[in-house]
Amino acid sequence: MAAVYPELSGRVVAVTGAAQGIGACIARAFAQQGARVAALDIDQAGAAEVVREISATGGKAIAVALDVTDETSVQGAIARTLSELGGLDVLVTSAGGYGRLANVEDMPVEEWDRTVALNLRGTFLCCKAAIPHLKKSGAGRIITISSISGRTISSSTSPAYAASKAGVIQLTRFLAYTLGEHGITCNSVAPITTLTPRVKALRTPQNIAQISAQVPMKRLPDPDEHASVVVFLASDGASYLNGMVMDTNGGKVMM
Ligand SMILES: NC(=O)c1ccc[n+]([C@@H]2O[C@H](COP(=O)([O-])OP(=O)(O)OC[C@H]3O[C@@H](n4cnc5c(N)ncnc54)[C@H](O)[C@@H]3O)[C@@H](O)[C@H]2O)c1
């Protein structure tokens, strides 16, 4: 994306799950706007590679290891972002996902706990660690990545994932309600199945065609089509959007 939001130049943006997929696209998109990016991920090598790409094109980024489910690790990652980049203006929580399609009756409790921890506890811990610093920003933003699975119901997902993404949306609204007076806006982006390298490897072309056929636009999005919305939400143009869910689903679900 070309640099269209000059106000984002120099802002410090922490992106979780930035080693690949949608999170990596978001990290690159902010760097293209001149923001200083902390690429946070449990996959240190992947995050370092994204940072190398950003640096090679003249952007400023650092890779920071974190496990979003571990409070000490999250606090440490935010502390490192502050010490190396000098503050925090925007938090994007993209780390998330689930292992497999499942029903409630055949889901081991451990799998439920793991999935909810990654998506919901992880988002909570990152927001908790970031909020004191976002309050000092003057243009603080929290942008959570939820999912169409948290907006509507379908059998081709995981109950733990669907429930935790609905939880992420309600957590985002709670944050919007309570942090607005501190000049922080909180919004969520809720993607449909997206053509990331991981999804392209997992799904057959027939499967992708089937899902695409259910979308009014008859195609699935590239990850950049979510990243551009995330960057907009951080821009001054979105300064009065708060507690919104941006349904980047091509019109499949309209709410
Ligand atoms: N790709 C899709 O089709 C799709 C659709 C709707 C919503 N989403 C959501 O978008 C976000 C990104 O999805 P994606 O497909 O790009 O995911 P992905 O699996 O490609 O990438 C997820 C990243 O999170 C990191 N991660 C995993 N566990 C972590 C942990 N405990 N701590 C820190 N980092 C961890 C991984 O290393 C990876 O880099 C997720 O929240 C996902 O639920 C994705």
Side-chain angles (χ1 to χ4, degrees):
M1 196 204 311
V4 288
Y5 302 112
E7 68 273 21
L8 294 181
S9 181
R11 295 227 178 124
V12 178
V13 181
V15 183
T16 73
Q20 67 176 46
I22 295 171
C25 279
I26 293 169
R28 289 190 206 99
F30 273 109
Q32 282 162 11
Q33 301 301 318
R36 293 176 291 150
V37 175
L40 276 45
D41 206 289
I42 203 165
D43 172 4
Q44 293 188 49
E49 181 54 35
V50 170
V51 165
R52 257 193 299 279
E53 282 172 37
I54 289 173
S55 306
T57 53
K60 168 76 182 160
I62 60 167
V64 181
L66 99 162
D67 176 350
V68 294
T69 66
D70 181 298
E71 185 175 15
T72 306
S73 171
V74 170
Q75 293 282 355
I78 296 296
R80 219 188 116 204
T81 302
L82 293 167
S83 70
E84 291 201 26
L85 298 180
L88 184 63
D89 301 295
V90 181
L91 171 70
V92 183
T93 59
S94 188
Y98 63 100
R100 64 183 181 109
L101 306 181
N103 287 318
V104 168
E105 68 269 25
D106 63 19
M107 171 167 286
V109 175
E110 297 72 29
E111 184 180 338
W112 170 274
D113 287 344
R114 205 169 44 247
T115 305
V116 175
L118 173 59
N119 292 289
L120 188 52
R121 175 187 166 94
T123 303
F124 160 73
L125 287 178
C126 292
C127 293
K128 181 173 159 64
I131 285 166
H133 312 290
L134 294 172
K135 281 182 176 173
K136 298 177 194 154
S137 161
R141 299 280 201 271
I142 293 175
I143 301 153
T144 61
I145 306 301
S146 50
S147 171
I148 193 171
S149 291
R151 294 289 268 169
T152 187
I153 202 69
S154 137
S155 60
S156 69
T157 182
S158 144
Y161 182 71
S164 57
K165 288 299 191 179
V168 166
I169 288 170
Q170 198 66 346
L171 173 63
T172 308
R173 292 185 180 130
F174 186 90
L175 291 166
Y177 195 76
T178 51
L179 296 177
E181 65 181 289
H182 299 283
I184 302 170
T185 68
C186 307
N187 296 287
S188 194
V189 173
I192 193 173
T193 306
T194 301
L195 297 174
T196 58
R198 182 181 59 82
V199 169
K200 279 197 248 183
L202 272 178
R203 300 205 183 250
T204 63
Q206 292 86 340
N207 191 219
I208 288 175
Q210 261 170 3
I211 307 172
S212 305
Q214 298 163 20
V215 181
M217 296 179 73
K218 305 300 174 202
R219 67 175 182 85
L220 295 182
D222 285 320
D224 288 332
E225 294 180 281
H226 310 301
S228 57
V229 175
V230 172
V231 170
F232 164 68
L233 286 171
S235 75
D236 287 356
S239 55
Y240 207 64
L241 278 181
N242 195 24
M244 293 281 298
V245 182
M246 306 297 268
D247 289 302
T248 50
N249 64 40
K252 177 159 192 286
V253 175
M254 303 185 194
M255 307 185 83

